[in-house]
């Protein structure tokens, strides 16, 4: 599950705002609405393995749970209406205002405690962090983001010991950061799929040559040596069969490159 | 300059819609508003080197020119108001409705002609395209995207000969695609900056060892050999000074890795 925790500093904790002025009297609720959209929406689909936890003014938590979420639409106004409705249901206990949306009184340390209890791994997205390529994102990450303002001094105090990662030098909107995190994690998941056979050659020197060529095109290759079942206890001249394995998304291009530079790649 | 060309199939060509129902009676203008936001907004700033060309129902073109753009705000409603105002100014000649927003009657082939005349390089973003990592994006790209619907058969006919690239297997919203394209091009530009000195060693074998280690951490290294000015016409034992150069964004991590595995990296 991917979690995004949004700390909102100006958005109201009472439902007295108009949907016709989200950036103004509604305290930049439009920022939160776009972030919610970026977290959940795929083309004509919802990401069900996502939770968005919004903290309003360090007082009120609104949780959106992808698994159970209904009535969420991509436009800002209808999302703001769901938030407004949630605030109307705010009481002593956590309440479900519409399917998949839960509202309660919480503070940042309480939110963080809950995440730790659930086994989530809190990570702060911040331009001063380590580059995201340098970081291995754990399972069940919970990314903390601020709204249009920086984290407040009291936020910073609570978040001080968490790992920080950065998405690069360009300062972005909250929703854009969420889109990019999803993109990078999606690509990572695609890459974790099984490698596929791209080509078979005899002898490691040739395999190394092809591996080096493909590396020049940013295609990583795993070499798997198949020792042939023979009467000899060892291979002769290192001439065992080597299978060149690539990521599924690189297969077509890798085969084209091998065909251009060497030979028609062998099928299985 | 980066251009995004949005083909909108349902959005109205007359300004008779209400700002209170962008997804409904306004024909999913909310999709266009989010795409415009993704194209132009940075955190508290605008990308000035961007142009967004919207084609409404293959009849009306609205161009937003980053260099001259004023009054654009991140929320959907105010952006929709700018589009509505542009449609009110639609006449025989191209008119500027608000600073940086131009409206005219155009068809898709006419838009494409204009882009070619400007020296732009049209590219279709489509899930069937070649993976974006496999493609070298030319200068002055013009990315064609559809709205919430697929390209129409007549769009497809006009766009048939253009290169197509894909952002991966996950089907995304138009605005999300734009955010990711910006992200990838931003990273590419950062990488094109000057490499910086990470470490100096004596002798190429050791340099190769460190280069291989850093490659395991996805850090590319350029080795620059400094032949020392000496009385000998050649270096002895290949022991010339080798400078290991990395991308600025990899510097801190590369130095950490070298310190962990080898030695404290030498400063300039």
């Amino acid at each position: 599950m991917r979690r995004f925790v949004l700390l909102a500093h100006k958005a109201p904790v009472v439902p007295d705002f108009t949907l016709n002025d989200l950036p103004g009297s509604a305290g930049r609720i439009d920022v939160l609405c776009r972030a919610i959209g970026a977290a959940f929406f795929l083309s004509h689909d919802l990401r069900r393995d996502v939770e968005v936890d919004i903290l309003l003014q360090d007082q009120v938590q609104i949780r959106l749970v992808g698994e159970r979420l209904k009535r969420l639409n991509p436009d800002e106004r209808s999302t703001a209406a769901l938030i407004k409705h949630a605030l109307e249901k705010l009481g002593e206990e956590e309440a479900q205002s519409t399917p998949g949306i839960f509202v309660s009184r919480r503070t940042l340390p309480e939110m963080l405690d809950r995440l730790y209890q659930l086994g989530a791994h809190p990570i702060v997205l911040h331009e001063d962090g380590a580059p995201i390529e340098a970081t291995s994102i754990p399972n069940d990450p919970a990314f903390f983001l601020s709204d249009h303002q920086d984290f407040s001094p009291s936020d910073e105090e609570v978040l001080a010991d968490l790992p920080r990662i950065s998405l690069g030098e360009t300062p972005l909107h909250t929703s854009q950061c969420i889109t990019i995190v999803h993109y990078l994690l999606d690509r990572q998941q695609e890459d974790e799929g099984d490698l596929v056979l791209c080509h078979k050659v005899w002898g490691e020197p040739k395999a190394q040559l092809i591996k080096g060529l493909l590396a020049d095109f940013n295609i990583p290759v795993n070499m798997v040596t198949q020792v042939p079942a023979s009467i000899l206890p060892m291979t002769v001249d290192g001439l065992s069969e080597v299978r060149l394995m690539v990521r599924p998304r690189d297969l077509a291009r890798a085969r084209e490159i091998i065909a251009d530079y060497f030979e028609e790649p062998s099928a299985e």
Side-chain angles (χ1 to χ4, degrees), chain A residues 193-199 222 244-251:
Chain A
D194 290 338
L195 297 182
V196 292
L197 178 69
C198 167
H199 190 31
N222 264 18
L244 298 165
M245 313 293 289
V246 299
R247 301 179 295 201
R249 65 174 160 119
D250 291 328
L251 180 64

Side-chain angles (χ1 to χ4, degrees), chain A residues 11-12 16 22 49 68 97 109 119 130-131 148 156 182 190 206 212 214 218 262:
Chain A
D16 62 354
L22 303 181
D49 61 337
R68 311 200 205 165
S97 53
H148 60 295
E156 288 285 8
H182 269 320
E190 286 170 24
K206 183 166 178 188
L214 292 176
N218 286 320
F262 287 94

Side-chain angles (χ1 to χ4, degrees), chain A residues 156-233:
Chain A
E156 288 285 8
E157 207 170 300
V158 178
L159 304 177
D161 294 334
L162 299 181
R164 295 190 165 219
I165 64 174
S166 153
L167 298 175
E169 295 168 12
T170 314
L172 298 169
H173 279 201
T174 313
S175 56
Q176 295 168 338
C177 293
I178 293 174
T179 296
I180 292 166
V181 166
H182 269 320
Y183 172 75
L184 294 174
L185 292 180
D186 288 347
R187 299 317 302 253
Q188 195 177 304
Q189 280 186 350
E190 286 170 24
D191 290 349
E192 280 166 2
D194 290 338
L195 297 182
V196 292
L197 178 69
C198 167
H199 190 31
K200 290 186 287 194
V201 297
W202 283 88
E204 195 167 311
K206 183 166 178 188
Q208 286 288 5
L209 210 63
I210 296 178
K211 181 178 176 171
L213 171 71
L214 292 176
D216 288 343
F217 289 90
N218 286 320
I219 300 180
V221 174
N222 264 18
M223 302 197 316
V224 179
T225 305
Q226 302 280 89
V227 179
S230 84
I231 49 165
L232 290 171

Side-chain angles (χ1 to χ4, degrees), chain A residues 4-51:
Chain A
F4 297 94
V5 183
L6 311 178
L7 306 190
H9 301 96
K10 291 285 176 196
V13 294
V14 284
D16 62 354
F17 55 88
T18 163
L19 298 179
N20 293 340
D21 185 21
L22 303 181
S25 60
R28 298 305 310 272
I29 273 202
D30 62 308
V31 174
L32 305 180
C33 296
R34 281 194 299 282
I36 290 169
F40 286 110
F41 281 105
L42 294 171
S43 185
H44 306 290
D45 203 0
L46 274 187
R47 292 183 189 263
R48 294 294 176 187
D49 61 337
V50 166
E51 181 175 307

